[in-house]
Amino acid sequence: STNCYSTVKNLDKIVDFCIAIGGDGTLLHINSLFKKSVPPIIPFACGSLGFLTTFDVTKYESIIDRVLEGNFSITPRSRLKCRVIRYNDDQNNSNNNNNNNNNNDDDDNNSNVNNIDVNNENVEEIIKFTVLNEVIITRGGTDFIGSFDMYCDNTYITTVVGDGVTIATATGSTAYSLSAGGSMIHPTVPSILFTPILPHSLSFRPVVLPDTINVQIKIPFESRSFGIARFDGKNSTPLAKGDVINISVSPYPLCTVSQTDNTSEWFSALARCLMWNVRSNKQKELPNNIMNDNTDFSNIKSAL
């Protein structure tokens, strides 16, 4: 019989290493099983894309033997801790009244945006996840454009007006964030990627932040729509006005076994899966009969 360990606590104390047979989604599933430390993962390619799965599944015996002998290197991949936080009703009402009063005073400045404290006693943790790729916050199922307040270390930075935002790891830089126009980052670079999704301002460009920063995304009270958060493409969570997602780098990275060194392996995956700078160096040859001594150029000369 097959045992399922998805609900077992302290799974990291039981498992020495993992064998992933599938695609990138298989690694995302394994990531969801381990909230803290993750044993090394041997990723075998058996999916449609396989950006993170580099080993040939037909050679699994020799590869596993090599790992058991200790002859391998690993690529540490940072993960993000995500906490959805909701203020209690009294705090919400107080913040909402302050925002309305400030809006009446001056609509052209950011005085209506207060710094936030996600660790005070008036907040409730709704749900939390640890993601390998990204957390995506988008507008809810309405026809109105979304608004999302961005904070770094509890200090207001800017408001995103658009379809949403993506907060990604370096590993996730070649996933959803890349489709939204973000940069590609080597997986061992300690960073957090902030990428707006279809922003209303053309000058709004993605930024790369240091991994020491705590990022908070808040659905402002004056927003015309609520929000939805997705964690590695799953676990859709509705966000009410005033809700905050606190995002920070987990102290427990996910380590994948590398086939070669992690740099050459990453560039190889870019070329193999994303066709990064792949072009043909071979010149196209002209058909044999297109140019010969009997070619009539009279029509061309008359046209000129």
Side-chain angles (χ1 to χ4, degrees), residues 261-298:
D261 65 281
N262 53 39
T263 297
S264 61
E265 189 172 274
W266 184 66
F267 278 111
S268 176
L270 290 181
R272 184 184 71 254
C273 299
L274 303 180
M275 305 300 291
W276 180 72
N277 198 34
V278 174
R279 60 184 296 272
S280 175
N281 293 323
K282 183 179 179 180
Q283 285 188 327
K284 297 179 180 179
E285 297 181 358
L286 293 172
N288 293 330
N289 60 349
I290 196 171
M291 294 289 290
N292 54 52
D293 295 338
N294 298 322
T295 302
D296 184 10
F297 293 100
S298 59

Side-chain angles (χ1 to χ4, degrees), residues 188-206:
T188 62
V189 175
S191 56
I192 299 175
L193 285 74
F194 179 89
T195 306
I197 303 173
L198 297 178
H200 193 260
S201 172
L202 292 177
S203 62
F204 202 161
R205 292 292 179 258

